[in-house]
Amino acid sequence: MLQERVPSRPPVCAVIVAGGCGSRFGNPGGKQLVNVAGRPLVTWSIMAFDRSCLVGHIVVVCPQAKRAEMRRLAIDPFDFKTPITFADAGETRQDSTASGVDAVPMGFEYVAIHDGARPLITTAAIDNAIQVLLHDRSLDGVVCGQPAIDTLKIVDGEQIVKTPPRSMYWAAQTPQIFSVDVMRRAHAAAVADQFVGTDDASLVERMGGTVHCVASPRDNLKVTVPEDLRPVTAILLGRMSDAESAQDTGVMPRL
């Protein structure tokens, strides 16, 4: 168990990527403002980072045309203490992430990049991942995730080619947390090489950076299609009915 290190000034800026058009979700207006358990989807993510003493600023990445609506529905009605600013979404998620990282204010050493469509992330999971990075200066970043529990198959067409040992595989989630300098250099290198990664960590990995996986709750689900709302809503309502979890989600004050 790591001894908690609380810097005198929060060292992390959160970048919440909420720029997707929601094509797979099937909602022309996107999914970030869909009501989930009484709040807009993206609000749950903002809330979790707002309650971390290690996060001193939040950047929300969304289309410029959606800023006013995002602030009116997902931010202003809630009592957030952390300063929140915006960055413009790009054509791809990687472009949007780069925009968010560029918008990190001066003075922050680390950036925590999170999908706005993962509303189940908790403050405890965020703080734990940040602490891992703060305690090991040899790391360039950490990725929240879970060791694979399913048997994985390498398939060519429909034919199984190989069954790799699942002990080596993790399912990557967000947040993914990095040194701001490393992340900016990784994006610059990706642009120069016309490289498109599958996640933020892949940009750092290809530069030879050291990135560790940190176990986070398995229920840190991502809302991609409408069917995902049922389990996510059920989990949130369950947390709201539990005193300890309700404190973590911001439904009630911490004791």
Side-chain angles (χ1 to χ4, degrees), residues 35-90:
N35 188 294
V36 182
R39 297 174 183 175
L41 179 71
V42 72
T43 298
W44 291 103
S45 294
I46 297 172
M47 187 174 302
F49 283 93
D50 175 67
R51 294 172 65 78
S52 170
C53 64
L54 298 172
V55 174
H57 194 94
I58 297 172
V59 175
V60 176
V61 183
C62 70
Q64 189 172 25
K66 300 280 290 185
R67 281 191 187 185
E69 184 181 21
M70 181 75 71
R71 182 170 288 283
R72 177 172 59 85
L73 297 177
I75 297 174
D76 286 349
F78 305 95
D79 186 24
F80 294 126
K81 306 300 184 185
T82 310
I84 299 174
T85 55
F86 288 94
D88 292 338

Short mmCIF file of all heavy atoms in Angstrom, two decimals, residues 35-90:
data_model
loop_
_atom_site.label_atom_id
_atom_site.label_comp_id
_atom_site.label_asym_id
_atom_site.label_seq_id
_atom_site.Cartn_x
_atom_site.Cartn_y
_atom_site.Cartn_z
N ASN A 35 -29.05 12.12 -20.22
CA ASN A 35 -29.30 12.00 -18.78
C ASN A 35 -29.07 10.57 -18.31
O ASN A 35 -29.66 9.63 -18.84
CB ASN A 35 -30.73 12.43 -18.46
CG ASN A 35 -30.99 12.51 -16.97
OD1 ASN A 35 -30.98 11.50 -16.27
ND2 ASN A 35 -31.22 13.71 -16.48
N VAL A 36 -28.20 10.43 -17.33
CA VAL A 36 -27.91 9.13 -16.74
C VAL A 36 -28.03 9.25 -15.22
O VAL A 36 -27.27 10.01 -14.61
CB VAL A 36 -26.49 8.64 -17.12
CG1 VAL A 36 -26.24 7.26 -16.53
CG2 VAL A 36 -26.30 8.62 -18.62
N ALA A 37 -28.98 8.56 -14.64
CA ALA A 37 -29.19 8.60 -13.19
C ALA A 37 -29.33 10.04 -12.68
O ALA A 37 -28.81 10.39 -11.61
CB ALA A 37 -28.07 7.87 -12.46
N GLY A 38 -29.99 10.88 -13.46
CA GLY A 38 -30.31 12.22 -13.01
C GLY A 38 -29.32 13.31 -13.37
O GLY A 38 -29.55 14.48 -13.05
N ARG A 39 -28.22 12.94 -14.06
CA ARG A 39 -27.22 13.93 -14.44
C ARG A 39 -26.72 13.65 -15.85
O ARG A 39 -26.75 12.50 -16.29
CB ARG A 39 -26.03 13.90 -13.47
CG ARG A 39 -26.44 14.27 -12.06
CD ARG A 39 -25.31 14.11 -11.08
NE ARG A 39 -25.78 14.40 -9.72
CZ ARG A 39 -25.08 14.25 -8.62
NH1 ARG A 39 -23.85 13.78 -8.69
NH2 ARG A 39 -25.58 14.55 -7.43
N PRO A 40 -26.24 14.68 -16.56
CA PRO A 40 -25.65 14.41 -17.88
C PRO A 40 -24.48 13.43 -17.76
O PRO A 40 -23.74 13.45 -16.77
CB PRO A 40 -25.18 15.80 -18.33
CG PRO A 40 -26.08 16.76 -17.60
CD PRO A 40 -26.31 16.12 -16.26
N LEU A 41 -24.33 12.61 -18.75
CA LEU A 41 -23.30 11.57 -18.74
C LEU A 41 -21.93 12.12 -18.36
O LEU A 41 -21.24 11.59 -17.49
CB LEU A 41 -23.23 10.91 -20.13
CG LEU A 41 -22.20 9.81 -20.33
CD1 LEU A 41 -22.61 8.56 -19.57
CD2 LEU A 41 -22.04 9.50 -21.82
N VAL A 42 -21.50 13.21 -19.01
CA VAL A 42 -20.16 13.74 -18.78
C VAL A 42 -20.00 14.35 -17.39
O VAL A 42 -18.89 14.43 -16.86
CB VAL A 42 -19.79 14.77 -19.88
CG1 VAL A 42 -20.58 16.07 -19.71
CG2 VAL A 42 -18.30 15.04 -19.89
N THR A 43 -21.10 14.77 -16.78
CA THR A 43 -21.04 15.38 -15.46
C THR A 43 -20.46 14.42 -14.42
O THR A 43 -19.71 14.83 -13.52
CB THR A 43 -22.42 15.87 -15.01
OG1 THR A 43 -22.89 16.87 -15.92
CG2 THR A 43 -22.38 16.46 -13.60
N TRP A 44 -20.78 13.15 -14.53
CA TRP A 44 -20.27 12.17 -13.57
C TRP A 44 -18.75 12.12 -13.60
O TRP A 44 -18.09 12.03 -12.55
CB TRP A 44 -20.86 10.78 -13.87
CG TRP A 44 -22.32 10.69 -13.58
CD1 TRP A 44 -23.34 10.71 -14.49
CD2 TRP A 44 -22.94 10.57 -12.30
NE1 TRP A 44 -24.55 10.61 -13.85
CE2 TRP A 44 -24.34 10.52 -12.51
CE3 TRP A 44 -22.45 10.49 -11.00
CZ2 TRP A 44 -25.25 10.40 -11.46
CZ3 TRP A 44 -23.36 10.37 -9.95
CH2 TRP A 44 -24.74 10.33 -10.18
N SER A 45 -18.15 12.18 -14.79
CA SER A 45 -16.69 12.17 -14.90
C SER A 45 -16.09 13.44 -14.32
O SER A 45 -15.10 13.40 -13.58
CB SER A 45 -16.27 12.02 -16.36
OG SER A 45 -16.63 10.76 -16.86
N ILE A 46 -16.68 14.58 -14.67
CA ILE A 46 -16.19 15.86 -14.15
C ILE A 46 -16.24 15.84 -12.62
O ILE A 46 -15.31 16.28 -11.93
CB ILE A 46 -17.02 17.03 -14.71
CG1 ILE A 46 -16.87 17.12 -16.23
CG2 ILE A 46 -16.59 18.35 -14.06
CD1 ILE A 46 -17.80 18.14 -16.87
N MET A 47 -17.32 15.30 -12.08
CA MET A 47 -17.50 15.27 -10.63
C MET A 47 -16.40 14.47 -9.94
O MET A 47 -15.86 14.87 -8.89
CB MET A 47 -18.87 14.66 -10.31
CG MET A 47 -19.27 14.72 -8.86
SD MET A 47 -20.96 14.14 -8.68
CE MET A 47 -21.82 15.28 -9.75
N ALA A 48 -16.04 13.32 -10.52
CA ALA A 48 -15.02 12.47 -9.91
C ALA A 48 -13.67 13.18 -9.85
O ALA A 48 -12.95 13.09 -8.85
CB ALA A 48 -14.90 11.16 -10.68
N PHE A 49 -13.30 13.90 -10.90
CA PHE A 49 -12.03 14.62 -10.90
C PHE A 49 -12.09 15.86 -10.03
O PHE A 49 -11.10 16.23 -9.39
CB PHE A 49 -11.64 15.00 -12.34
CG PHE A 49 -11.10 13.85 -13.14
CD1 PHE A 49 -11.92 13.09 -13.93
CD2 PHE A 49 -9.75 13.52 -13.07
CE1 PHE A 49 -11.43 12.02 -14.66
CE2 PHE A 49 -9.24 12.45 -13.80
CZ PHE A 49 -10.09 11.69 -14.59
N ASP A 50 -13.24 16.50 -9.98
CA ASP A 50 -13.41 17.70 -9.16
C ASP A 50 -13.16 17.40 -7.69
O ASP A 50 -12.67 18.26 -6.94
CB ASP A 50 -14.83 18.25 -9.36
CG ASP A 50 -15.13 19.43 -8.46
OD1 ASP A 50 -14.52 20.50 -8.65
OD2 ASP A 50 -15.99 19.28 -7.56
N ARG A 51 -13.44 16.17 -7.26
CA ARG A 51 -13.34 15.82 -5.85
C ARG A 51 -11.95 15.31 -5.47
O ARG A 51 -11.72 14.96 -4.32
CB ARG A 51 -14.41 14.77 -5.51
CG ARG A 51 -15.81 15.33 -5.63
CD ARG A 51 -16.88 14.25 -5.48
NE ARG A 51 -16.88 13.66 -4.15
CZ ARG A 51 -17.42 14.23 -3.07
NH1 ARG A 51 -17.98 15.42 -3.16
NH2 ARG A 51 -17.40 13.62 -1.91
N SER A 52 -11.03 15.27 -6.42
CA SER A 52 -9.66 14.84 -6.11
C SER A 52 -8.81 16.02 -5.65
O SER A 52 -8.75 17.05 -6.33
CB SER A 52 -9.02 14.20 -7.35
OG SER A 52 -7.64 13.99 -7.14
N CYS A 53 -8.11 15.85 -4.52
CA CYS A 53 -7.23 16.91 -4.03
C CYS A 53 -5.95 16.98 -4.84
O CYS A 53 -5.14 17.91 -4.66
CB CYS A 53 -6.92 16.69 -2.56
SG CYS A 53 -5.97 15.19 -2.22
N LEU A 54 -5.74 16.03 -5.76
CA LEU A 54 -4.55 16.01 -6.59
C LEU A 54 -4.78 16.66 -7.95
O LEU A 54 -3.85 16.81 -8.74
CB LEU A 54 -4.07 14.56 -6.79
CG LEU A 54 -3.66 13.83 -5.50
CD1 LEU A 54 -3.39 12.36 -5.80
CD2 LEU A 54 -2.43 14.48 -4.89
N VAL A 55 -6.02 17.05 -8.23
CA VAL A 55 -6.38 17.67 -9.51
C VAL A 55 -6.70 19.14 -9.27
O VAL A 55 -7.59 19.47 -8.48
CB VAL A 55 -7.59 16.95 -10.15
CG1 VAL A 55 -8.05 17.68 -11.41
CG2 VAL A 55 -7.23 15.50 -10.48
N GLY A 56 -5.98 20.01 -9.96
CA GLY A 56 -6.16 21.44 -9.74
C GLY A 56 -6.83 22.18 -10.87
O GLY A 56 -7.12 23.38 -10.76
N HIS A 57 -7.11 21.49 -11.99
CA HIS A 57 -7.75 22.14 -13.13
C HIS A 57 -8.37 21.05 -13.99
O HIS A 57 -7.87 19.92 -14.04
CB HIS A 57 -6.73 22.94 -13.95
CG HIS A 57 -7.35 23.89 -14.93
ND1 HIS A 57 -7.57 25.21 -14.63
CD2 HIS A 57 -7.80 23.71 -16.20
CE1 HIS A 57 -8.14 25.81 -15.68
NE2 HIS A 57 -8.28 24.91 -16.64
N ILE A 58 -9.46 21.39 -14.66
CA ILE A 58 -10.13 20.45 -15.56
C ILE A 58 -10.34 21.12 -16.91
O ILE A 58 -10.87 22.24 -16.98
CB ILE A 58 -11.49 19.98 -14.99
CG1 ILE A 58 -11.29 19.23 -13.67
CG2 ILE A 58 -12.23 19.10 -16.01
CD1 ILE A 58 -12.59 18.91 -12.95
N VAL A 59 -9.92 20.44 -17.97
CA VAL A 59 -10.16 20.90 -19.34
C VAL A 59 -11.18 19.96 -19.98
O VAL A 59 -10.96 18.74 -20.01
CB VAL A 59 -8.87 20.91 -20.18
CG1 VAL A 59 -9.19 21.28 -21.63
CG2 VAL A 59 -7.85 21.89 -19.60
N VAL A 60 -12.28 20.50 -20.44
CA VAL A 60 -13.29 19.70 -21.14
C VAL A 60 -13.12 19.94 -22.64
O VAL A 60 -13.16 21.08 -23.10
CB VAL A 60 -14.71 20.07 -20.70
CG1 VAL A 60 -15.75 19.30 -21.51
CG2 VAL A 60 -14.90 19.81 -19.21
N VAL A 61 -12.91 18.87 -23.37
CA VAL A 61 -12.72 18.97 -24.82
C VAL A 61 -14.04 18.65 -25.51
O VAL A 61 -14.58 17.55 -25.36
CB VAL A 61 -11.64 17.98 -25.31
CG1 VAL A 61 -11.41 18.16 -26.81
CG2 VAL A 61 -10.34 18.19 -24.55
N CYS A 62 -14.58 19.62 -26.24
CA CYS A 62 -15.83 19.40 -26.96
C CYS A 62 -15.87 20.35 -28.16
O CYS A 62 -15.07 21.29 -28.24
CB CYS A 62 -17.04 19.64 -26.05
SG CYS A 62 -17.32 21.37 -25.58
N PRO A 63 -16.76 20.10 -29.12
CA PRO A 63 -16.87 21.02 -30.26
C PRO A 63 -17.20 22.43 -29.78
O PRO A 63 -17.98 22.60 -28.84
CB PRO A 63 -18.02 20.42 -31.08
CG PRO A 63 -18.06 18.97 -30.69
CD PRO A 63 -17.68 18.94 -29.24
N GLN A 64 -16.61 23.40 -30.42
CA GLN A 64 -16.84 24.79 -30.00
C GLN A 64 -18.31 25.14 -30.01
O GLN A 64 -18.80 25.87 -29.13
CB GLN A 64 -16.06 25.75 -30.91
CG GLN A 64 -16.07 27.18 -30.42
CD GLN A 64 -15.13 28.07 -31.22
OE1 GLN A 64 -14.84 27.79 -32.37
NE2 GLN A 64 -14.65 29.13 -30.59
N ALA A 65 -19.06 24.59 -30.97
CA ALA A 65 -20.48 24.89 -31.07
C ALA A 65 -21.29 24.32 -29.91
O ALA A 65 -22.43 24.73 -29.67
CB ALA A 65 -21.04 24.35 -32.40
N LYS A 66 -20.69 23.38 -29.16
CA LYS A 66 -21.40 22.74 -28.04
C LYS A 66 -21.00 23.32 -26.69
O LYS A 66 -21.55 22.91 -25.66
CB LYS A 66 -21.10 21.24 -28.04
CG LYS A 66 -21.52 20.50 -29.29
CD LYS A 66 -23.00 20.19 -29.29
CE LYS A 66 -23.36 19.14 -28.28
NZ LYS A 66 -24.78 18.75 -28.36
N ARG A 67 -20.06 24.25 -26.66
CA ARG A 67 -19.55 24.75 -25.38
C ARG A 67 -20.64 25.33 -24.50
O ARG A 67 -20.74 25.01 -23.31
CB ARG A 67 -18.48 25.82 -25.62
CG ARG A 67 -17.13 25.30 -26.00
CD ARG A 67 -16.11 26.42 -25.94
NE ARG A 67 -14.81 26.01 -26.46
CZ ARG A 67 -13.73 26.77 -26.44
NH1 ARG A 67 -13.80 28.00 -25.91
NH2 ARG A 67 -12.59 26.34 -26.93
N ALA A 68 -21.44 26.22 -25.06
CA ALA A 68 -22.47 26.89 -24.26
C ALA A 68 -23.45 25.88 -23.68
O ALA A 68 -23.82 25.95 -22.50
CB ALA A 68 -23.19 27.93 -25.11
N GLU A 69 -23.86 24.92 -24.50
CA GLU A 69 -24.80 23.90 -24.04
C GLU A 69 -24.16 23.01 -22.98
O GLU A 69 -24.79 22.65 -21.98
CB GLU A 69 -25.27 23.06 -25.22
CG GLU A 69 -26.33 22.04 -24.85
CD GLU A 69 -26.77 21.20 -26.04
OE1 GLU A 69 -26.00 21.14 -27.03
OE2 GLU A 69 -27.86 20.61 -25.98
N MET A 70 -22.89 22.66 -23.20
CA MET A 70 -22.17 21.83 -22.23
C MET A 70 -22.08 22.53 -20.89
O MET A 70 -22.33 21.93 -19.84
CB MET A 70 -20.77 21.52 -22.77
CG MET A 70 -19.92 20.64 -21.87
SD MET A 70 -20.37 18.90 -21.89
CE MET A 70 -19.83 18.40 -23.52
N ARG A 71 -21.73 23.80 -20.90
CA ARG A 71 -21.62 24.54 -19.64
C ARG A 71 -22.98 24.70 -18.98
O ARG A 71 -23.11 24.52 -17.76
CB ARG A 71 -20.98 25.92 -19.89
CG ARG A 71 -20.80 26.73 -18.62
CD ARG A 71 -19.96 27.96 -18.83
NE ARG A 71 -18.56 27.65 -19.02
CZ ARG A 71 -17.71 27.33 -18.06
NH1 ARG A 71 -18.14 27.23 -16.81
NH2 ARG A 71 -16.46 27.09 -18.34
N ARG A 72 -24.00 24.99 -19.77
CA ARG A 72 -25.34 25.23 -19.21
C ARG A 72 -25.94 23.98 -18.58
O ARG A 72 -26.57 24.04 -17.52
CB ARG A 72 -26.27 25.76 -20.32
CG ARG A 72 -27.71 25.99 -19.88
CD ARG A 72 -28.50 26.69 -20.98
NE ARG A 72 -28.51 25.92 -22.22
CZ ARG A 72 -29.37 24.93 -22.49
NH1 ARG A 72 -30.29 24.59 -21.60
NH2 ARG A 72 -29.31 24.29 -23.65
N LEU A 73 -25.72 22.82 -19.20
CA LEU A 73 -26.38 21.61 -18.74
C LEU A 73 -25.52 20.74 -17.84
O LEU A 73 -26.01 20.11 -16.90
CB LEU A 73 -26.84 20.77 -19.95
CG LEU A 73 -27.88 21.40 -20.86
CD1 LEU A 73 -28.17 20.48 -22.03
CD2 LEU A 73 -29.16 21.70 -20.09
N ALA A 74 -24.21 20.68 -18.14
CA ALA A 74 -23.34 19.71 -17.46
C ALA A 74 -22.43 20.30 -16.41
O ALA A 74 -21.84 19.56 -15.62
CB ALA A 74 -22.50 18.95 -18.50
N ILE A 75 -22.30 21.63 -16.37
CA ILE A 75 -21.33 22.25 -15.46
C ILE A 75 -21.99 23.24 -14.50
O ILE A 75 -21.91 23.10 -13.28
CB ILE A 75 -20.20 22.93 -16.25
CG1 ILE A 75 -19.42 21.88 -17.06
CG2 ILE A 75 -19.26 23.70 -15.31
CD1 ILE A 75 -18.36 22.46 -17.98
N ASP A 76 -22.66 24.25 -15.05
CA ASP A 76 -23.19 25.32 -14.21
C ASP A 76 -24.18 24.86 -13.13
O ASP A 76 -24.19 25.44 -12.02
CB ASP A 76 -23.85 26.40 -15.08
CG ASP A 76 -22.81 27.25 -15.81
OD1 ASP A 76 -21.61 27.14 -15.46
OD2 ASP A 76 -23.19 28.01 -16.73
N PRO A 77 -25.01 23.84 -13.37
CA PRO A 77 -25.96 23.44 -12.32
C PRO A 77 -25.33 22.73 -11.13
O PRO A 77 -26.01 22.46 -10.14
CB PRO A 77 -26.92 22.48 -13.06
CG PRO A 77 -26.74 22.78 -14.51
CD PRO A 77 -25.30 23.16 -14.66
N PHE A 78 -24.02 22.47 -11.20
CA PHE A 78 -23.37 21.67 -10.17
C PHE A 78 -22.28 22.48 -9.47
O PHE A 78 -21.64 23.34 -10.07
CB PHE A 78 -22.80 20.39 -10.78
CG PHE A 78 -23.84 19.61 -11.53
CD1 PHE A 78 -24.00 19.76 -12.90
CD2 PHE A 78 -24.70 18.76 -10.85
CE1 PHE A 78 -24.98 19.07 -13.59
CE2 PHE A 78 -25.68 18.05 -11.54
CZ PHE A 78 -25.82 18.21 -12.91
N ASP A 79 -22.09 22.19 -8.21
CA ASP A 79 -21.20 22.99 -7.37
C ASP A 79 -19.75 22.50 -7.47
O ASP A 79 -19.19 21.95 -6.53
CB ASP A 79 -21.68 22.93 -5.91
CG ASP A 79 -20.88 23.87 -5.01
OD1 ASP A 79 -20.33 24.86 -5.53
OD2 ASP A 79 -20.83 23.60 -3.79
N PHE A 80 -19.14 22.70 -8.63
CA PHE A 80 -17.76 22.28 -8.82
C PHE A 80 -16.81 23.31 -8.22
O PHE A 80 -17.01 24.52 -8.36
CB PHE A 80 -17.45 22.10 -10.31
CG PHE A 80 -18.21 20.97 -10.96
CD1 PHE A 80 -18.97 21.18 -12.10
CD2 PHE A 80 -18.17 19.69 -10.41
CE1 PHE A 80 -19.67 20.14 -12.70
CE2 PHE A 80 -18.87 18.65 -11.00
CZ PHE A 80 -19.61 18.87 -12.14
N LYS A 81 -15.77 22.82 -7.55
CA LYS A 81 -14.79 23.70 -6.92
C LYS A 81 -13.57 23.93 -7.81
O LYS A 81 -12.86 24.93 -7.68
CB LYS A 81 -14.33 23.09 -5.59
CG LYS A 81 -15.46 22.75 -4.62
CD LYS A 81 -16.27 23.97 -4.24
CE LYS A 81 -17.33 23.59 -3.20
NZ LYS A 81 -18.23 24.74 -2.89
N THR A 82 -13.28 22.97 -8.69
CA THR A 82 -12.09 23.03 -9.53
C THR A 82 -12.34 23.91 -10.75
O THR A 82 -13.40 23.81 -11.37
CB THR A 82 -11.71 21.61 -10.01
OG1 THR A 82 -11.67 20.73 -8.88
CG2 THR A 82 -10.36 21.60 -10.71
N PRO A 83 -11.40 24.79 -11.11
CA PRO A 83 -11.57 25.60 -12.33
C PRO A 83 -11.75 24.70 -13.55
O PRO A 83 -11.05 23.70 -13.71
CB PRO A 83 -10.27 26.40 -12.41
CG PRO A 83 -9.75 26.42 -11.01
CD PRO A 83 -10.15 25.12 -10.39
N ILE A 84 -12.70 25.06 -14.41
CA ILE A 84 -13.00 24.29 -15.61
C ILE A 84 -12.91 25.19 -16.83
O ILE A 84 -13.55 26.26 -16.87
CB ILE A 84 -14.40 23.64 -15.53
CG1 ILE A 84 -14.48 22.69 -14.33
CG2 ILE A 84 -14.73 22.90 -16.83
CD1 ILE A 84 -15.87 22.13 -14.09
N THR A 85 -12.12 24.78 -17.81
CA THR A 85 -12.02 25.52 -19.07
C THR A 85 -12.28 24.54 -20.22
O THR A 85 -12.43 23.34 -20.01
CB THR A 85 -10.64 26.18 -19.23
OG1 THR A 85 -9.61 25.18 -19.09
CG2 THR A 85 -10.42 27.27 -18.19
N PHE A 86 -12.30 25.08 -21.43
CA PHE A 86 -12.62 24.27 -22.61
C PHE A 86 -11.48 24.26 -23.61
O PHE A 86 -10.65 25.18 -23.66
CB PHE A 86 -13.88 24.80 -23.30
CG PHE A 86 -15.15 24.54 -22.56
CD1 PHE A 86 -15.67 25.48 -21.69
CD2 PHE A 86 -15.84 23.35 -22.73
CE1 PHE A 86 -16.84 25.25 -21.00
CE2 PHE A 86 -17.01 23.10 -22.05
CZ PHE A 86 -17.52 24.05 -21.18
N ALA A 87 -11.47 23.20 -24.42
CA ALA A 87 -10.59 23.11 -25.58
C ALA A 87 -11.43 22.56 -26.72
O ALA A 87 -12.40 21.81 -26.49
CB ALA A 87 -9.39 22.20 -25.30
N ASP A 88 -11.08 22.93 -27.94
CA ASP A 88 -11.86 22.50 -29.09
C ASP A 88 -11.58 21.05 -29.47
O ASP A 88 -10.41 20.62 -29.49
CB ASP A 88 -11.56 23.39 -30.30
CG ASP A 88 -12.06 24.81 -30.11
OD1 ASP A 88 -12.97 25.01 -29.28
OD2 ASP A 88 -11.55 25.72 -30.80
N ALA A 89 -12.63 20.32 -29.79
CA ALA A 89 -12.48 18.95 -30.26
C ALA A 89 -11.91 18.96 -31.68
O ALA A 89 -12.13 19.90 -32.45
CB ALA A 89 -13.82 18.23 -30.23
N GLY A 90 -11.17 17.89 -32.02
CA GLY A 90 -10.62 17.76 -33.36
C GLY A 90 -11.41 16.74 -34.17
O GLY A 90 -12.45 16.23 -33.74
#
